[in-house]
Amino acid sequence: MKKTNTIINTARETILTESNAIANLAKLIDADFEEAVKFILNSNGRVIVTGIGKSANIATKIVATLNSTGTPAIFMHAADAIHGDLGNVQKDDVVICLSKSGNTPEIKVLVPLIKNYGNKIVAITGNVDSYLGEHADFTLNAYVEKEACPNNLAPTTSTTAQLVLGDALAVCLLDLRGFTSKDFAKYHPGGALGKRLYLRVSDLVENNQVPAVNETDSIAKVIIEISEKRLGVTAVLNNGTLTGIITDGDIRRMLSKSTQISEVTAKDVMGKNPKTIFEDAMAIDALTTMEKNSITQMLVVDHKNNYVGVVHLHDLIKEGIF
């Protein structure tokens, strides 16, 4: 068994080997990369990403990144392609082909078939002088000096380089398309990330009760309202206009100072000028305001400043935003 310091050194060497190779990729970006991006951007078809072995695994991730950033893409395994799946390639599609050596038998069979269809090929290869590199319409240089594997055999640095070039393509396309966070939200509606981008305060408030008392109401009525609505807070109104807020903390602080509460009204206890948020605001903005002000609830209003409800920190936690 390796000693701990040897394990740590091996891990560090692996990371440094790959990071140095990735840094070198920046020097290999050339006109072919730019032309490939422009061609994909202006094409009327999809992007078909193909490869074999570990390159195929990287191809699936590139497909996922392209799809999520506004460039329609599908994965086609290079081996399956020459056994029927080549039918996935349509007239205006662009094919991105990944291969470290660029000389595998499957690639040598696949490339001329794609070319015969009239489709353009973008090669991502570690050997620009290979069969793939020489026959592709655009060749992206993914050269790495060595694999992180101590035997220089297992695809490690080379597949990382392919992945990074795929990310570079996707980000360039994203930038040129003017892809915004709103566009991103359309493709990521699920999970915490999507909810941060599309969930609004109104989506949360509609599920909550609407606690409210009048300024002249007794503290007993305030306590009942807060308890029944189970949000730890109530709005205070004067003829329907929002004038204040009372939290269960306000009630506790009042009781700790005096037990003579029979004459106390909501107006006497309420906090004036409460923090509010518009109902059409993003839920993530509500979270930001709560964190900034160290509060757990906010009163929600419409654009006429009419009180419509309460958004609670628990609502945000429940939705996975916190």
Side-chain angles (χ1 to χ4, degrees), residues 38-318:
K38 290 179 179 178
F39 190 85
I40 294 172
L41 179 69
N42 295 317
S43 69
N44 295 319
R46 307 157 301 170
V47 175
I48 312 295
V49 189
T50 187
I52 194 165
K54 299 301 185 292
S55 293
N57 299 134
I58 298 301
T60 60
K61 193 278 179 183
I62 293 175
V63 165
T65 301
L66 289 170
N67 279 325
S68 68
T69 53
T71 300
I74 64 172
F75 169 69
M76 179 180 68
H77 196 283
D80 293 335
I82 59 179
H83 291 284
D85 282 4
L86 198 56
N88 284 316
V89 182
Q90 302 300 306
K91 178 183 177 182
D92 294 317
D93 292 343
V94 181
V95 179
I96 297 178
C97 189
L98 281 68
S99 175
K100 178 187 176 182
S101 71
N103 288 314
T104 59
E106 293 84 1
I107 295 299
K108 288 184 176 181
V109 173
L110 180 60
V111 167
L113 294 174
I114 294 172
K115 299 283 284 185
N116 287 340
Y117 282 8
N119 299 88
K120 297 293 185 180
I121 297 176
V122 178
I124 297 180
T125 180
N127 182 6
V128 295
D129 297 322
S130 63
Y131 181 87
L132 174 61
E134 292 180 347
H135 288 81
D137 298 283
F138 311 98
T139 301
L140 311 189
N141 195 343
Y143 171 77
V144 297
E145 184 177 348
K146 63 178 180 177
E147 300 287 4
C149 165
N151 299 314
N152 196 29
L153 294 174
T156 45
T157 311
S158 60
T159 47
T160 303
Q162 292 173 347
L163 184 62
V164 170
L165 281 176
D167 286 343
L169 277 172
V171 172
C172 287
L173 290 165
L174 176 156
D175 184 56
L176 290 170
R177 294 185 196 282
F179 197 80
T180 66
S181 59
K182 290 183 178 180
D183 297 316
F184 197 77
K186 291 190 297 184
Y187 296 106
H188 298 76
L193 176 60
K195 288 179 180 179
R196 282 173 175 263
L197 294 169
Y198 76 82
L199 195 69
R200 297 187 181 275
V201 170
S202 57
D203 299 320
L204 303 174
V205 171
E206 65 182 8
N207 298 317
N208 291 337
Q209 298 191 67
V210 186
V213 296
N214 292 311
E215 287 186 350
T216 55
D217 285 339
S218 68
I219 286 301
K221 186 170 183 179
V222 171
I223 293 173
I224 292 172
E225 183 71 0
I226 292 176
S227 299
E228 288 184 346
K229 299 302 169 60
R230 304 176 66 84
L231 290 169
V233 66
T234 183
V236 182
L237 309 178
N238 181 15
N239 295 321
T241 300
L242 178 65
T243 56
I245 185 173
I246 301 175
T247 68
D248 50 9
D250 294 327
I251 298 296
R252 288 193 298 271
R253 284 186 289 273
M254 180 205 68
L255 292 175
S256 69
K257 294 178 180 179
S258 174
T259 57
Q260 303 298 318
I261 63 172
S262 59
E263 302 299 323
V264 179
T265 65
K267 184 176 181 180
D268 299 323
V269 181
M270 72 179 190
K272 298 179 181 179
N273 302 313
K275 295 291 181 183
T276 61
I277 191 166
F278 289 125
E279 60 183 339
D280 60 354
M282 305 305 295
I284 187 62
D285 293 332
L287 175 60
T288 301
T289 303
M290 288 183 192
E291 290 180 329
K292 181 179 179 181
N293 294 278
S294 300
I295 56 178
T296 57
Q297 313 101 329
M298 288 184 68
L299 303 183
V300 182
V301 297
D302 63 20
H303 283 275
K304 293 183 179 180
N305 210 40
N306 296 313
Y307 168 61
V308 298
V310 175
V311 59
H312 197 288
L313 181 63
H314 291 165
D315 300 325
L316 300 166
I317 294 174
K318 183 178 179 181

